Amino acid sequence: MALLELKDVRKSYGYDENKVDAISHINLTIEEGSFVAIVGKSGSGKSTLLHVMGGLTKPQHGVVLLEGNSLYDMSDDQLSRYRRRRMGFVFQFYNLISSLNVIENIVLPIHLDHLKEDHEFIDELLDLLGLKEKKTAFVKELSGGQQQRVAIARALAMKPAIILADEPTGNLDAKSSLEVVELLKLSQRQYKQTLILVTHDDMIASQADRIITISDGQIVGDTDEK
Ligand code: ADP
Ligand code: ADP
């Protein structure tokens, strides 16, 4: 089944002579349960594409359907609620709250929706991510790599249908990067999630079921296209 469908999507920034088409003519279907890597040079439009997929950046043109729902036809409230419940984001800037500790950061999105967290699962995640001893540490006391892991735990804690990751291993060394991707894959396989990951790292991309290459805002390669 198609989890995500983009139809003739275009997003540009700026106006007139300063206008940049970040992505254009994007037609794409992503199957439920797959692991898709989006690759391309810096400035090619990867992040814009991921943001559009996640309901974070409204395109000027086209339709984005997630689980059959047209994201940009929802109200802001509906969309943020939907994002919190069904999507897990892992970005380069983790948007962690420095005045909260690790566990508080992880459960915050869950509590915002008045849902009950799965303590056992969260403990398991922290264990897998090597954060067990850091549960009550403040985020500002952690290294960059540890903060990255907290952001991953927060994204996975809700067992989202879709995980959207933008260079999730950008600040990690090669060994930790592979470990992090292994973890994302483990979650993806176990909970039949769809994992969409933007990377410029070929080694990371090679872990995916499907690789989509972006250049100048357009899809120029797709390992699923026959
Ligand atoms: P990538 O993730 O592949 O590096 P981006 O999606 O970040 O590519 O950027 C695609 C193009 O859109 C680039 O030319 C970039 O400069 C431009 N762009 C991205 N975000 C903005 C923005 N907020 N305002 C203006 N231009 C932007
Ligand atoms: P409430 O029902 O009042 O929300 P919880 O039982 O969910 O309380 O959580 C009690 C406290 O334990 C909260 O401060 C919460 O942040 C923290 N907590 C939640 N998950 C874990 C966990 N896996 N390990 C340790 N502490 C946790």
Side-chain angles (χ1 to χ4, degrees):
M1 200 189 85
L3 177 95
L4 183 64
E5 267 183 281
L6 281 79
K7 294 180 190 165
D8 201 16
V9 168
R10 185 185 73 224
K11 169 66 191 172
S12 52
Y13 296 103
Y15 297 97
D16 301 329
E17 64 270 21
N18 296 320
K19 192 172 145 202
V20 178
D21 281 331
I23 52 171
S24 56
H25 305 295
I26 300 283
N27 288 290
L28 185 59
T29 300
I30 291 179
E31 295 302 314
E32 190 178 347
S34 57
F35 172 11
V36 179
I38 299 173
V39 301
K41 282 193 271 208
S42 173
S44 57
K46 304 181 298 295
S47 295
T48 301
L49 179 58
L50 195 75
H51 286 222
V52 166
M53 287 173 167
L56 297 167
T57 300
K58 187 179 171 139
Q60 279 91 1
H61 189 269
V63 180
V64 180
L65 298 174
L66 184 57
E67 301 176 299
N69 305 296
S70 177
L71 288 187
Y72 297 99
D73 287 325
M74 293 184 186
S75 71
D76 288 352
D77 277 358
Q78 271 179 317
L79 182 56
S80 28
R81 202 176 126 90
Y82 187 54
R83 270 203 308 258
R84 286 203 300 271
R85 293 203 164 194
R86 304 294 289 164
M87 306 181 204
F89 294 96
V90 186
F91 287 165
Q92 252 171 321
F93 303 103
Y94 331 115
N95 298 315
L96 298 173
I97 298 173
S98 58
S99 57
L100 297 180
N101 70 27
V102 166
I103 194 73
E104 287 165 343
N105 266 282
I106 291 171
V107 300
L108 186 65
I110 300 176
H111 286 184
L112 280 175
D113 274 335
H114 309 291
L115 302 174
K116 200 77 195 138
E117 70 239 33
D118 181 342
H119 281 204
E120 241 170 84
F121 177 64
I122 291 173
D123 279 339
E124 204 178 290
L125 274 178
L126 289 175
D127 207 6
L128 280 168
L129 288 164
L131 291 168
K132 210 160 100 180
E133 314 301 324
K134 299 286 177 190
K135 256 161 107 164
T136 56
F138 285 102
V139 161
K140 54 179 179 252
E141 300 162 355
L142 303 180
S143 71
Q146 288 169 332
Q147 292 187 28
Q148 184 81 309
R149 288 156 195 270
V150 176
I152 291 169
R154 180 186 53 188
L156 297 181
M158 282 279 253
K159 299 182 190 138
I162 179 169
I163 304 164
L164 298 159
D166 195 351
E167 301 280 5
T169 61
N171 302 309
L172 305 176
D173 59 32
K175 183 167 168 283
S176 313
S177 295
L178 264 185
E179 281 170 11
V180 161
V181 174
E182 283 302 322
L183 271 164
L184 290 170
K185 263 173 84 165
L186 198 75
S187 174
Q188 178 241 343
R189 299 264 191 266
Q190 186 161 356
Y191 297 103
K192 300 187 172 47
Q193 292 161 321
T194 306
L195 172 59
I196 304 177
L197 186 151
V198 163
T199 182
H200 63 266
D201 184 333
D202 290 338
M203 188 185 65
I204 300 294
S206 70
Q207 305 290 309
D209 307 321
R210 176 182 180 187
I211 301 175
I212 293 170
T213 309
I214 307 287
S215 177
D216 279 334
Q218 310 220 12
I219 296 174
V220 296
D222 183 345
T223 56
D224 264 16
E225 286 295 318
K226 276 113 212 153

